[in-house]
Amino acid sequence: MTKKILVALILLSSLTLSAQTTKEPNCKKLIAKGYTQTFCDYDKKYAFKTIPLESNFEFVSKKCDLKKDISNPYHFETTDDKLKFWGGVSFDKCMFDFSANDKLDGVQLLLTVQTIGPGGPTDIKVNIEKMEKIKSYLITMFGQPFDNTVGKNLVWYGENITVYLTSNFSDGLGSVAIYRTNMKMTDDL
């Protein structure tokens, strides 16, 4: 009898532990924050397009051509235009950020400004329009951001992902970053 109780307790504790470590977000919590079901679904997906966060470098490099960013050994850029298009906006760069232990931490989509050569000043205007479009898209699809107190930065905090919209409308620079929320200090760079 005691053996059966002990086995039952072990099974119950492993089931409880398994339920606590799942990546399944609690949609009720996210919706209570003002987010939409779409954000909850994106949080459950835990991926950028078809590339799951926490994938290793080899898996990601097979899906897209990656070039090392010379300024950071853990950042890689792709030239794949399909990956640079997100939320109805064509970004100039798509960067994949990996941790020191080879996990995909997140993706950054960047708008840059050409200051030398033809079209420099018009790039700023085009980028401002793109940032307004992506801001509208994110609010429509994900709901009201959690925080927008730091300048023009907007943040959506999920249980698995965090989405950042950062823009400087005066110079036309902007980015969207999608990072895994569950990064531990040992995963950091």
Side-chain angles (χ1 to χ4, degrees), residues 46-58:
Y46 197 59
F48 173 71
K49 303 215 176 195
T50 61
I51 303 170
L53 294 173
E54 296 191 70
S55 296
N56 64 28
F57 178 81
E58 184 179 338

Side-chain angles (χ1 to χ4, degrees), residues 77-156:
E77 182 179 352
T78 182
T79 55
D80 187 337
D81 288 336
K82 291 176 191 168
L83 293 172
K84 291 195 255 180
F85 186 81
W86 190 77
V89 172
S90 290
F91 288 86
D92 299 318
K93 289 185 177 186
C94 179
M95 304 291 292
F96 289 85
D97 298 343
F98 289 87
S99 66
N101 62 354
D102 195 36
K103 287 185 181 180
L104 178 60
D105 284 338
V107 178
Q108 296 180 51
L109 298 161
L110 307 166
L111 291 175
T112 58
V113 176
Q114 180 181 347
T115 55
I116 300 173
T122 57
D123 284 348
I124 293 173
K125 183 179 177 191
V126 168
N127 282 358
I128 290 170
E129 291 169 1
K130 286 181 178 182
M131 290 311 294
E132 286 293 345
K133 183 175 183 175
I134 197 74
K135 177 182 174 182
S136 176
Y137 170 82
L138 287 170
I139 290 172
T140 300
M141 297 303 289
F142 291 168
Q144 288 301 314
F146 176 77
D147 186 13
N148 64 352
T149 57
V150 184
K152 302 287 185 187
N153 302 334
L154 305 176
V155 183
W156 290 262

Side-chain angles (χ1 to χ4, degrees), residues 23-25 27 37 39-47 160:
K23 289 184 180 174
E24 188 73 22
C27 283
Q37 181 65 44
F39 182 75
C40 184
D41 295 342
Y42 201 79
D43 196 47
K44 283 180 191 178
K45 186 178 168 190
Y46 197 59
N160 294 317

